[in-house]
């Protein structure tokens, strides 16, 4: 009745912002993402009659490998070879959301035993690094496995989606499509390409690690108030087709242009909601301008930003070092996490307790 799963965060190239069904977390549009090797969650779940209530805790990392302590550049590989120590706590609201998800999985298995859940992140929670994606992906797979539920990958993605929408994209390997669907059974995620298909990099520049004011769930609940939402949604099918075409022929500059436009489009919707949500900080905008300048100098690097101030710099492997150097020279990064395309959520043998 005990299992541990490790799940990557993911960065969306075509983004999810808005739901057609709040309870089932059915998205307003399809989205497409890359799993991240350096930003991940490890979760151990044990169900047992010995627990009189659900126990849900963050634990600090046991293994920490700092590649460059002074420069704070962390690197990890596909096999998730590194965990950076963090000391964080769940809020009551977060605990309740986790318990609700456990209840759903318990109901599927027809059991009522309480659970102990220990979880560990390799990156700051709530700073636009998609902690809920890796968190609910790891929780779903660990809990389902601990209860002996024989679920297919597709079923696991649908279950993870109910915990947090973007979590469904952290279950399959590599580059992942999440279908919008018309009901719970048709909104699932699958791998379009494995992690070794294209040697891309996401150089994640952390400029702030405080909890963001608006959590995504709440933020996107106001999406209908943006006058730009409908025009955004009309263009998504075209973007989804285009990104598949660009992936099939590995056209990096065209992919980068598309990723950037899509990010700005989503943020335009966020900023024009009522109340408006402005996730960017001064440093975010500095990085955007710097990226334009670096490209003008001949460095092929593009940005994307999620529901937070941090900036994901997308480049090809050959340009990774140049991008890191440029970021360091700017002097605004609190941390830099270098991500390669990663596999999805896996069961591991090493438990957290
Ligand atoms: C994405 N984001 O596609 C977009 C880009 C944030 C900006 O998916 O309410 O935490 O749990 O389904 O998945 C963040 O939204 O929201 C997100 P819920 P979630 O990655």
């Amino acid at each position: 009745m005990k299992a541990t799963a490790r799940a990557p965060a993911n960065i969306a190239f075509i983004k999810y912002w808005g739901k057609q069904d709040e309870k089932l977390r059915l998205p307003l549009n399809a989205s497409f993402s890359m799993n991240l090797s350096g930003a991940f969650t490890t979760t151990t779940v044990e169900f047992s009659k010995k627990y009189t209530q659900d126990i849900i805790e963050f634990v600090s990392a046991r293994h920490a490998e700092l590649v460059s302590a002074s420069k704070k550049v962390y690197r990890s590989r596909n096999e998730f070879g590194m965990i950076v120590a963090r000391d964080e706590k769940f809020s009551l609201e977060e605990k309740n959301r986790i318990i609700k998800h456990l209840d759903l999985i318990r109901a599927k298995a027809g059991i009522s035993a309480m659970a102990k859940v220990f979880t560990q992140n390799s990156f700051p929670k709530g700073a636009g690094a998609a902690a809920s994606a890796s968190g609910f992906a790891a929780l779903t797979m660990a809990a389902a496995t601990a209860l002996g539920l024989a679920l297919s990958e597709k079923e696991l993605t649908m279950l993870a989606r109910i915990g947090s929408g973007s979590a469904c994209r952290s279950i399959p390997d590599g580059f992942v499509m999440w279908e919008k669907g018309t009901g719970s059974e048709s909104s699932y995620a699958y791998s379009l390409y494995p992690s070794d298909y294209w040697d891309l990099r996401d150089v994640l520049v952390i400029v702030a690690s405080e909890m963001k004011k608006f959590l995504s769930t709440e933020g996107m609940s106001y999406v209908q108030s943006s006058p730009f939402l409908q025009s955004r949604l009309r263009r998504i099918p075209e973007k989804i087709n285009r990104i598949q075409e660009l992936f099939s022929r590995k056209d990096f500059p065209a992919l980068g242009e598309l990723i950037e436009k899509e990010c700005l489009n989503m943020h335009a919707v966020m900023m024009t909601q009522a109340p408006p949500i402005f996730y960017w900080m001064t440093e975010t905008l500095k990085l955007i301008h710097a990226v334009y300048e670096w490209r003008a100098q001949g460095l092929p690097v593009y940005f994307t930003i999620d529901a937070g101030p941090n900036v994901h710099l997308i480049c090809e492997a050959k340009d990774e070092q140049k991008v890191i150097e440029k970021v360091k020279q700017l002097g605004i990064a609190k941390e830099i996490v270098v991500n390669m395309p990663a596999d999805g959520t896996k069961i591991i043998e090493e438990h957290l307790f």
Side-chain angles (χ1 to χ4, degrees):
M1 301 283 267
K2 183 175 182 178
T4 301
R6 186 167 290 172
N10 64 74
I11 179 67
F13 294 160
I14 305 294
K15 302 202 182 269
Y16 153 54
W17 190 252
K19 298 178 176 72
Q20 32 170 330
D21 185 310
E22 303 263 339
K23 207 164 160 252
L24 292 171
R25 292 184 202 269
L26 295 179
L28 282 172
N29 61 273
S31 52
F32 179 77
S33 60
M34 176 178 112
N35 285 332
L36 303 179
S37 65
F40 52 90
T41 300
T42 307
T43 298
T44 299
V45 181
E46 182 182 42
F47 293 92
S48 168
K49 291 220 162 66
K50 70 186 173 203
Y51 303 126
T52 55
Q53 57 176 12
D54 290 321
I55 304 159
I56 294 153
E57 299 295 344
F58 252 105
V59 289
S60 52
R62 281 177 295 171
H63 329 275
E65 182 192 319
L66 237 56
V67 168
S68 164
S70 56
K71 297 286 188 255
K72 282 203 162 185
V73 174
Y74 306 130
R75 163 188 285 282
S76 79
R77 305 211 162 264
N78 253 359
E79 61 274 22
F80 303 115
M82 178 217 76
I83 298 175
V84 179
R86 303 277 173 207
D87 187 21
E88 293 184 288
K89 283 192 167 66
F90 282 120
S91 67
L92 190 60
E93 207 180 347
E94 287 169 325
K95 281 192 181 181
N96 288 337
R97 187 167 164 185
I98 290 167
I99 291 170
K100 205 170 149 201
H101 200 56
L102 289 171
D103 286 342
L104 181 70
I105 301 170
R106 277 190 279 246
K108 263 190 184 295
I111 73 129
S112 57
M114 296 288 116
K116 180 170 168 180
V117 178
F118 271 17
T119 200
Q120 205 173 62
N121 271 351
S122 75
F123 56 93
K125 168 166 75 78
S132 74
S134 55
F136 278 95
L139 178 71
T140 302
M141 195 176 282
T145 305
L147 290 177
L149 286 173
L151 300 177
S152 64
E153 179 182 275
K154 182 176 168 182
E155 289 169 323
L156 279 168
T157 72
M158 294 187 294
L159 193 54
R161 187 204 72 224
I162 296 173
S164 179
S166 53
C168 72
R169 294 191 314 237
S170 287
I171 302 265
D173 289 343
F175 299 94
V176 178
M177 186 71 78
W178 172 16
E179 293 287 350
K180 165 188 167 185
T182 51
S184 200
E185 300 302 305
S186 54
S187 185
Y188 56 91
Y190 55 91
S191 177
L192 206 62
Y193 289 102
S195 55
D196 62 0
Y197 173 72
W198 196 351
D199 208 5
L200 297 178
R201 290 290 181 272
D202 171 2
V203 178
L204 168 57
V205 185
I206 304 212
V207 295
S209 51
E210 305 89 54
M211 280 296 283
K212 62 199 178 199
K213 253 203 209 118
F214 270 97
L215 290 170
S216 299
T217 308
E218 191 196 349
M220 73 172 81
S221 71
Y222 307 114
V223 71
Q224 297 290 349
S225 59
S226 167
F228 301 133
L229 175 67
Q230 293 312 321
S231 81
R232 163 171 173 72
L233 294 177
R234 266 198 302 278
R235 295 193 122 129
I236 294 277
E238 186 185 312
K239 286 181 181 171
I240 291 282
N241 287 340
R242 173 109 174 120
I243 204 158
Q244 291 182 78
E245 181 215 329
L246 298 176
F247 258 76
S248 70
R249 59 184 163 89
K250 296 188 182 174
D251 183 339
F252 184 69
L255 175 73
E257 294 284 348
L258 176 61
I259 288 172
E260 258 184 32
K261 275 194 187 140
E262 162 58 8
C263 157
L264 294 175
N265 183 288
M266 179 187 71
H267 281 270
V269 168
M270 291 164 156
M271 290 169 196
T272 51
Q273 291 178 191
I277 309 182
F278 215 100
Y279 283 111
W280 300 355
M281 291 172 48
T282 309
E283 292 80 2
T284 316
L285 210 48
K286 270 190 190 159
L287 268 160
I288 291 175
H289 284 292
V291 166
Y292 291 150
E293 204 178 299
W294 298 337
R295 271 219 302 281
Q297 294 164 4
L299 181 61
V301 56
Y302 298 81
F303 64 81
T304 187
I305 304 157
D306 277 349
N310 302 319
V311 180
H312 297 253
L313 300 175
I314 311 297
C315 64
E316 290 183 290
K318 67 177 173 60
D319 295 314
E320 173 195 317
Q321 283 312 321
K322 280 181 235 157
V323 170
I324 293 171
E325 276 315 305
K326 291 280 189 193
V327 173
K328 282 187 192 164
Q329 281 164 18
L330 269 188
I332 57 175
K334 284 195 172 162
E335 283 177 30
I336 301 170
V337 182
V338 183
N339 294 288
M340 294 179 285
D343 282 345
T345 307
K346 306 288 177 207
I347 290 295
I348 59 169
E349 296 305 316
E350 206 183 329
H351 300 305
L352 294 175
F353 63 89

